[in-house]
Amino acid sequence: MPTVHLLDYVAGNIRSLVNAIEKIGYTVEWIKNPDDIAHAEKLILPGVGHFGHCLSQLHKDGYVDPLLQYINTGKPFMGICVGLQALFEGSDENPDVSGLGVIGGKLLRFSDHHKSVPQIGWNSAIAGSKELDADVSIYGLRQTSKYYYVHSYFAPYHEGALETGGWTVATAQYGDETFIGAVAKENIFATQFHPEKSGVAGLRVLKAFLDGKPVRTLSDVSRASKPVVPGLTRRLIACLDVRSNDDGDLVVTKGDQYDVREKDGVAAGGQVRNLGKPVDLAKRYYEQGADEITFLNITSFRNCPLADTPMLEVLKRTSESVFVPLTIGGGIRDTVDTDGTKIPALDVATMYFKSGADKVSIGSDAVTAAEEYYANGRQLSGSTAIEVISRAYGAQAVVISVDPKRVYVKDSFETNHHSIETAIPGPNGELYCWFQCTVKGGREGRDFDVHQLVTAVEALGAGEILLNSIDRDGTKSGFDLELINDVKAAVRIPIIASSGAGEPAHFEEVFEQTRTDAALGAGIFHRSEFTVKQVKEHLQTVGLHVR
């Protein structure tokens, strides 16, 4: 098979890119030192996370000059995400670190006044050159396709500025800011989005680059047959709670208010509810159109050596056939292996990233970190799992899974916690409540509210909140809209609404009545009550923009 070279500077999830390249029919060879670059015939610079981390590594290891020399030879070069950003002169993310300077200008941070930052989700990449028409595709890009973006900093688009220098530019819109989604000139092609995480549309883009076919005329079949709707889509996530059952098999399960054991029937015997195999279900949901897959390891396999943790194998196998973002939660903490070796949280996260994860989710340990944050006078320690992983891989790689439950009070003055007036009265008619944070899978409550938690983890460097609800879990009664609106008003980072979905109308309701950035379903999909595709079709029918 033909070969492409990859330069890995420890940039997060590289396994998925390798899997995508192999899926297309190419093999990967690694650039191990600067001298290897000259021998490459096709070169990809991937990137996940931090501009400063990427460029500092390239400068320190002596890659910058060989990279520029390679680009000047005219041989094919592709940059992905931070690999695109590296082509510019610099970034506000790290003003003291210089880029490669292939493209003039610097990157700016998205404004968070009216939208969440980072941008996480599926957006457009629409080529706007006057030389192009709707029948022409640049590197497989299509106006009606959506691609997966995850970034806080962007290259602003100024009409005509790059085009006069011979660049073809594909743009996207996030809120009121227009940014560069992809650029191409002669042998150079770079994308802000992740083609390896953009499903079939992304694989098409990657293949066009590897096959050396930058410009193609679209057939009647592939030409736009539906209106072009630019901008971010509504994100739909399938979640799989994974644990070992009583026979030791790894299964997907689902709880009712966090209880995963069967209650009905003589044959059930109180066993762990078995709803399928994790890899098979993940592939099914990907094929149905899920925008992301989340695995929550709810047992953490505490008696297993870390390197043999079953979830590592689940991620490896899933990433071979599922080309959308994968999140893993459970056990992302400083730990001690079975042989007594101390393993820091960053190393645990790195193992998951190398196995195919794009994001890691932190639960109970986030509550502890937040409590310490307030105890220290809102000072950052720099040593929590949230901080060290965010610093190495970027905020977008760190998700905080929050498990709150309602505590009712007769009046807001009865508690020191942030409370709301609720339209859902308590058992004794109470009209106020606060949302208590819990740990250990909801089994233990803390004297700590969700408002305190989310504002603390945002300050610590988290990039996204997975907002569960113990009260709604497994009830099929819809999402807790009051909880979602309350949390969304407290932070600027994206929120994933979770718990309670029982029908497609519940997803419509949460997108229409809250400003949530994504919605997650579990049991509704596992029990085949509705498919991901059916939920998306319903959202589209009511006028909500989906991929």
Side-chain angles (χ1 to χ4, degrees), residues 337-449:
D337 213 344
T338 52
D339 64 357
T341 303
K342 293 182 178 180
I343 303 177
L346 180 59
D347 290 355
V348 176
T350 297
M351 291 179 67
Y352 282 120
F353 290 136
K354 287 185 175 180
S355 298
D358 300 282
K359 298 183 275 188
V360 293
S361 176
I362 301 174
S364 296
D365 290 278
V367 178
T368 303
E371 289 172 334
E372 292 173 355
Y373 169 76
Y374 286 108
N376 294 331
R378 304 195 181 204
Q379 295 296 312
L380 302 179
S381 71
S383 61
T384 66
I386 300 170
E387 292 169 274
V388 296
I389 298 170
S390 177
R391 195 159 53 239
Y393 291 104
Q396 81 293 328
V398 182
V399 181
I400 304 302
S401 182
V402 183
D403 297 320
K405 65 179 181 181
R406 287 174 175 246
V407 176
Y408 282 96
V409 291
K410 291 182 179 179
D411 194 281
S412 60
F413 298 111
E414 287 188 7
T415 178
N416 292 325
H417 292 290
H418 171 81
S419 61
I420 64 167
E421 186 173 1
T422 177
I424 306 168
N428 299 310
E430 299 96 335
L431 296 178
Y432 291 85
C433 74
W434 62 280
F435 295 99
Q436 180 186 35
C437 292
T438 67
V439 296
K440 300 179 181 178
R443 296 187 301 275
E444 180 183 310
R446 294 290 183 89
D447 187 23
F448 202 66
D449 65 61

Side-chain angles (χ1 to χ4, degrees), residues 12 20 48 134 227 249 254 317 322 376 408 410 439 441 446 502 513:
V48 178
D249 299 320
K254 185 68 187 79
R317 289 178 53 202
V322 174
N376 294 331
Y408 282 96
K410 291 182 179 179
V439 296
R446 294 290 183 89
Q513 297 186 32

